[in-house]
Amino acid sequence: MIEIKELHKSYKMGSNSLHVLKGINFSVKKGELVAIMGSSGSGKSTLLNILGMLDEADEGTYTLDGVPIEDLNETKAAEYRNKFLGFIFQSFNLINYKSAKDNVALPLFYQGMPRKERNTMALDYLERVGLKPWAEHLPSELSGGQKQRVAIARAMASQPKVLLADEPTGALDSKTSYEVMDLIQKINDEGNTILVVTHEEDIAHMCKRIVYLKDGVIVEDKKVDQVRASSYVQ
Ligand code: ADP
Ligand code: MG
């Protein structure tokens, strides 16, 4: 599903340059649930943003579902992003003045789906994350965990090939974090490919594979023998 080879990325600041990714190689198959681990500043978000076509690498190749991602213009990149990728962020990124349902329906609106259809679909996805009764509520009326579940429903609604989550539990307490990861595990069980960036070991161990980033390279890439379930953690 994802294949990257010898990926490099530097940030230029004045005459200085910060080499953040120094030759990353890895691939992700359809249906995997992968954690990208590393301390703060290790380049996790930089890598995820490149995978999400929100940023471009300086060197290396990236293939997504068989499509080489290189030198895309903004329009083409946006088209691929909408078609291939769903995003979940630490800060939820919901629109404050829109209801949960309208937040989930918004990407469908941009895809040109008629109103009735997108509202039905939004309700369907809210139901899947257990929030149908909250459909007409504004984000400010929801808890952090509920907001993240709305964001997950929104990411799922456009049926992306890959879900990319950057510290999805970073703003949540541990109990709520485990609930959100439990939902991410369920979505993965349905066959969806998911990458989760985190700096927390316990969250990473709720994934099936952990890729450790350090100083711009992958220092370890391991299968999780015993994937942690949220119900074990109280
Ligand atoms: P992580 O997500 O693992 O905390 P990041 O990928 O956000 O790490 O950042 C890696 C390094 O790159 C950090 O030192 C950060 O300060 C730097 N960095 C990130 N984004 C930019 C940018 N747009 N411009 C300059 N430096 C950046
Ligand atoms: Mg980050």
Side-chain angles (χ1 to χ4, degrees):
M1 181 60 76
I2 285 176
E3 194 158 342
I4 60 171
K5 288 198 179 123
E6 284 304 314
L7 207 76
H8 285 261
K9 175 77 181 176
S10 297
Y11 289 113
K12 280 162 200 64
M13 289 169 297
S15 54
N16 292 327
S17 173
L18 184 66
H19 200 175
V20 178
L21 301 178
K22 303 172 182 169
I24 305 281
N25 294 287
F26 88 129
S27 51
V28 178
K29 292 196 194 73
K30 186 177 178 339
E32 281 202 87
L33 174 54
V34 186
I36 298 174
M37 269 283 287
S39 53
S40 177
S42 59
K44 304 181 298 294
S45 294
T46 301
L47 176 60
L48 205 75
N49 289 345
I50 293 171
L51 295 175
M53 285 186 265
L54 297 166
D55 199 356
E56 271 182 89
D58 301 324
E59 278 176 52
T61 60
Y62 171 24
T63 313
L64 176 59
D65 199 33
V67 180
I69 306 300
E70 53 186 278
D71 300 330
L72 297 177
N73 61 38
E74 232 352 275
T75 320
K76 197 78 187 161
E79 184 193 320
Y80 281 11
R81 253 194 321 265
N82 293 337
K83 201 160 95 182
F84 287 140
L85 301 162
F87 294 91
I88 301 162
F89 301 97
Q90 175 174 354
S91 50
F92 324 124
N93 292 13
L94 299 176
I95 295 174
N96 291 327
Y97 58 86
K98 285 190 182 291
S99 69
K101 183 183 75 191
D102 288 346
N103 265 283
V104 177
L106 194 63
L108 306 174
F109 165 77
Y110 286 118
Q111 285 175 14
M113 189 181 282
R115 191 208 312 241
K116 222 174 161 178
E117 211 176 310
R118 65 178 189 259
N119 282 344
T120 307
M121 202 153 167
L123 283 177
D124 181 33
Y125 277 90
L126 279 176
E127 185 164 29
R128 289 195 203 189
V129 301
L131 288 179
K132 200 174 178 186
W134 294 85
E136 301 306 333
H137 287 256
L138 293 173
S140 59
E141 297 164 334
L142 305 176
S143 69
Q146 288 175 323
K147 281 184 213 174
Q148 195 58 300
R149 278 149 65 195
V150 172
I152 292 172
R154 177 184 57 185
M156 293 293 297
S158 42
Q159 296 171 288
K161 292 187 183 291
V162 180
L163 271 181
L164 301 173
D166 195 349
E167 309 256 10
T169 63
L172 306 173
D173 61 56
S174 3
K175 182 172 174 286
T176 312
S177 295
Y178 297 136
E179 285 166 8
V180 164
M181 284 307 295
D182 186 56
L183 177 61
I184 286 177
Q185 288 178 331
K186 283 203 184 87
I187 292 168
N188 171 251
D189 285 342
E190 291 163 7
N192 294 289
T193 313
I194 310 178
L195 270 68
V196 178
V197 159
T198 181
H199 62 265
E200 293 168 292
E201 279 284 353
D202 53 344
I203 297 298
H205 279 86
M206 292 182 76
C207 298
K208 294 173 179 165
R209 174 182 161 198
I210 308 179
V211 172
Y212 291 89
L213 263 189
K214 195 181 175 195
D215 298 328
V217 292
I218 292 176
V219 288
E220 196 182 352
D221 185 342
K222 69 171 190 190
K223 182 177 179 295
V224 177
D225 290 326
Q226 200 151 27
V227 177
R228 193 165 179 169
S230 72
S231 49
Y232 297 153
V233 194
Q234 287 302 334

